[in-house]
Amino acid sequence: MHLELKNYMEELVLQKIDAVMAANRDVCGCGQCRHDIAAMALTILPARYVVTPRGETYTRIKALEQQFAVDIIRALTESIEIVKKHPHHEK
Ligand SMILES: [Zn+2]
């Protein structure tokens, strides 16, 4: 069986980032800013590593999603504010 080491928090941040960015209309939507926001949010949030058979991630993610939903949205919102003020490219 192929086992995989996975940070569920990364999965959850990527699931939520587009909705949170859509709610902040004046944030830049380019790939650079989106990745910077994801990286910053994942630095704020605790990592949640698990060993899992490849592909079988979704039932565990559901439980963690409910536990961390508020923290994830808060971390994404903070990260958006920072990237908005200091994008890694010309405005
Ligand atoms: Zn940008």
Side-chain angles (χ1 to χ4, degrees):
M1 182 165 43
H2 185 95
L3 294 174
E4 205 168 40
L5 190 60
K6 194 163 182 62
N7 179 5
Y8 276 359
M9 200 55 84
E10 182 179 334
E11 195 88 12
L12 293 173
V13 162
L14 293 176
Q15 275 178 20
K16 293 202 184 302
I17 190 168
D18 292 321
V20 181
M21 284 179 75
N24 284 267
R25 289 162 182 275
D26 48 343
V27 70
C28 173
C30 80
Q32 164 106 59
C33 289
R34 189 174 181 274
H35 279 84
D36 285 343
I37 290 163
M40 207 172 289
L42 284 166
T43 302
I44 296 169
L45 291 161
R48 283 291 178 274
Y49 281 98
V50 291
V51 178
T52 175
R54 182 178 281 182
E56 290 182 21
T57 53
Y58 289 96
T59 45
R60 287 288 304 277
I61 283 179
K62 268 287 164 219
L64 280 174
E65 185 179 0
Q66 288 171 359
Q67 190 181 342
F68 287 106
V70 173
D71 293 338
I72 291 167
I73 290 164
R74 187 188 300 126
L76 280 168
T77 305
E78 280 178 36
S79 304
I80 285 168
E81 287 306 316
I82 292 165
V83 171
K84 210 152 67 174
K85 284 180 193 135
H86 307 286
H88 283 164
H89 57 63
E90 300 294 319
K91 291 203 174 180

